[in-house]
Amino acid sequence: MADSSRALVLGGGGITGIAWELGLIARLAEGGVDLAGADAPDVVVGTSAGSSVAVQLGSGRPVDQLYAAQLAAPTGERAAAMPLSVMLRFVAAGLSSRNERTTRARLGRMAIRARTVPVEERMAIIRSRLPSTEWPTRPRLLITAVDAESGEFRVFDCESGVSLPEAVAASCAVPLVWPPVPIGDRLYVDGGVRSPANVDLAAGSQRVLVIAPIEQAFRRSGRPGHQLRALGPSTRGLLITPTPPARQEMGRNPLDPAFRAAAARAGYAQGAEVLDATRSLWTG
């Protein structure tokens, strides 16, 4: 979908994923690779948590301020959990059909029936995370979601006629945890239901940087690493995922805001480790 020289792909991973990504990006900026400034990509693909990070990077706020905000005590956030029962239902849905769209629709229908917080409450939380409710003019931002009833994959951008908070909330609507988000006459759930990062949307870019807190997917075709390799030999790519020490700092529940600051620091520390490789890809 993208036709650009540089694409940044930001994957899902809950509130700790947001913090880890912003910490890592802040350290890259300190090292001379400013993804929100002079080294901004031509296109950004944001899935779930990555959509929130993408909006923050496109807001014009300095990256060090975005990182500092992750270190502060979280206010207005609501903790949630991914209990074993929910995980088992995810797995069962994923194994029930070889058709990816059918699987997504099954999860979406389960999400519609699930008892969650009111969608208005969830929308308020999403809006509180966003420094702006206007689509950024640059870089081009693509936000992913899935139609809860049909399983159709959707990509929202500034020309979709969808408000930015609605697009981000839809992309972050984890099935069975958060409510599906109404847009028009349709309901939408997390874009991560298709893939944790949807790297394939960066097809056509010469350089692709993928920052993905989560690597697992229902099928191999949805894994960020597999999708990055599938872009072909004409694309230079780098996939960054949390190291084992970073994962430990991020905790076991990506939806727990109590681990936000630790996750941000873990991302910042890891940013130093990947700085040279990122600079070589992005500016070399």
Side-chain angles (χ1 to χ4, degrees), residues 22 35-37 51-63 65-66 129-139 141 164:
L22 286 172
L35 298 174
S51 68
S52 178
V53 175
V55 172
Q56 296 189 57
L57 292 182
S59 69
R61 291 182 61 187
V63 174
Q65 292 184 14
L66 299 176
R129 293 178 182 174
L130 304 182
S132 172
T133 59
E134 300 297 323
W135 286 89
T137 56
R138 185 180 183 278
L141 174 56
L164 186 60

Side-chain angles (χ1 to χ4, degrees), residues 10-81:
L10 300 168
I15 191 169
T16 60
I18 292 174
W20 174 80
E21 290 182 30
L22 286 172
L24 189 146
I25 290 169
R27 183 61 182 87
L28 292 178
E30 280 191 16
V33 183
D34 186 1
L35 298 174
D39 300 308
D42 299 286
V43 63
V44 180
V45 178
T47 293
S48 198
S51 68
S52 178
V53 175
V55 172
Q56 296 189 57
L57 292 182
S59 69
R61 291 182 61 187
V63 174
D64 60 345
Q65 292 184 14
L66 299 176
Y67 171 56
Q70 298 301 304
L71 300 177
T75 58
E77 292 287 350
R78 179 168 181 150

